[in-house]
Amino acid sequence: MLLIAGAALVSCSENALEQDMSKGNVEIIATIDNEGLTRSCIDSTPYDGKTGILWTPDDCIGVFGSSMKNRKFTNTSKENAATTGFTGNLDSGDTPEYAYYPYTDKAGIDATALSGRVSATQYYSEATGRLSDDWKYGKLSAYNTDRTKYKFKMKHLFALGKVVINAT
């Protein structure tokens, strides 16, 4: 079992508030903190010497609120993206406070002590850029005036190492 605990310093760009909300009554705009090299899918294009990091269309996050416990939110993007919207339903009067990735219904009910599984081997697909066992967490950073869109910046729980071998 994996114990996830922590909080994140967070911020997002305003243009992310233009996402589609067709799957729930609220949307969480999630960006990936590239400073910490978080990743869901690795973009093959490096940016200023850094690895590009993306969400994939089938990603889901777990969300905790003031009364809500481990609610599933689904990605609204149809393509890989560094910033995306996740939609889901909040109970009336609730506010999302914490989010984590990847969603699992077995994570528990305490946002500061989640249970999860990490394989002994982490797999990477060159074809899709998908990386297994890639846990992230985030804390609410902002919301719009009618509280239908909330911003989170996700931080990676584990380190990412990159090895470059020059065989020439």
Side-chain angles (χ1 to χ4, degrees):
M1 294 283 205
L2 171 71
L3 181 64
I4 301 174
L9 298 174
V10 290
S11 67
C12 298
S13 64
E14 288 302 320
N15 62 356
L17 292 177
E18 299 170 6
Q19 300 287 332
D20 172 36
M21 286 190 13
S22 60
K23 297 180 183 175
N25 67 355
V26 297
E27 182 174 41
I28 291 177
I29 308 301
T31 61
I32 297 177
D33 179 11
N34 280 336
E35 293 303 316
L37 293 178
T38 56
R39 68 237 177 241
S40 172
C41 171
I42 297 178
D43 187 350
S44 60
T45 308
Y47 302 93
D48 296 326
K50 295 182 182 177
T51 303
I53 310 302
L54 305 171
W55 293 102
T56 61
D58 60 341
D59 286 337
C60 294
I61 60 174
V63 179
F64 288 82
S66 48
S67 63
M68 174 181 58
K69 308 296 183 211
N70 197 27
R71 188 78 46 91
K72 182 178 183 179
F73 278 58
T74 57
N75 191 345
T76 60
S77 288
K78 297 193 181 349
E79 58 189 36
N80 295 346
T83 298
T84 193
F86 289 89
T87 56
N89 292 301
L90 291 181
D91 297 333
S92 180
D94 206 352
T95 299
E97 296 174 349
Y98 299 96
Y100 73 94
Y101 169 86
Y103 170 80
T104 174
D105 60 357
K106 297 175 180 35
I109 59 169
D110 183 353
T112 63
L114 300 178
S115 296
R117 180 181 165 283
V118 177
S119 303
T121 303
Q122 188 174 44
Y123 295 97
Y124 170 68
S125 167
E126 284 190 42
T128 65
R130 291 284 295 175
L131 191 63
S132 68
D133 300 313
D134 180 33
W135 287 81
K136 300 176 189 49
Y137 66 94
K139 186 175 177 184
L140 175 65
S141 65
Y143 50 85
N144 65 352
T145 55
D146 63 359
R147 291 185 177 240
T148 57
K149 296 183 187 235
Y150 299 85
K151 292 182 178 180
F152 284 73
K153 188 167 189 177
M154 306 300 281
K155 299 230 178 220
H156 190 59
L157 192 60
F158 303 115
L160 169 65
K162 181 178 180 181
V163 178
V164 177
I165 299 174
N166 185 349
T168 58

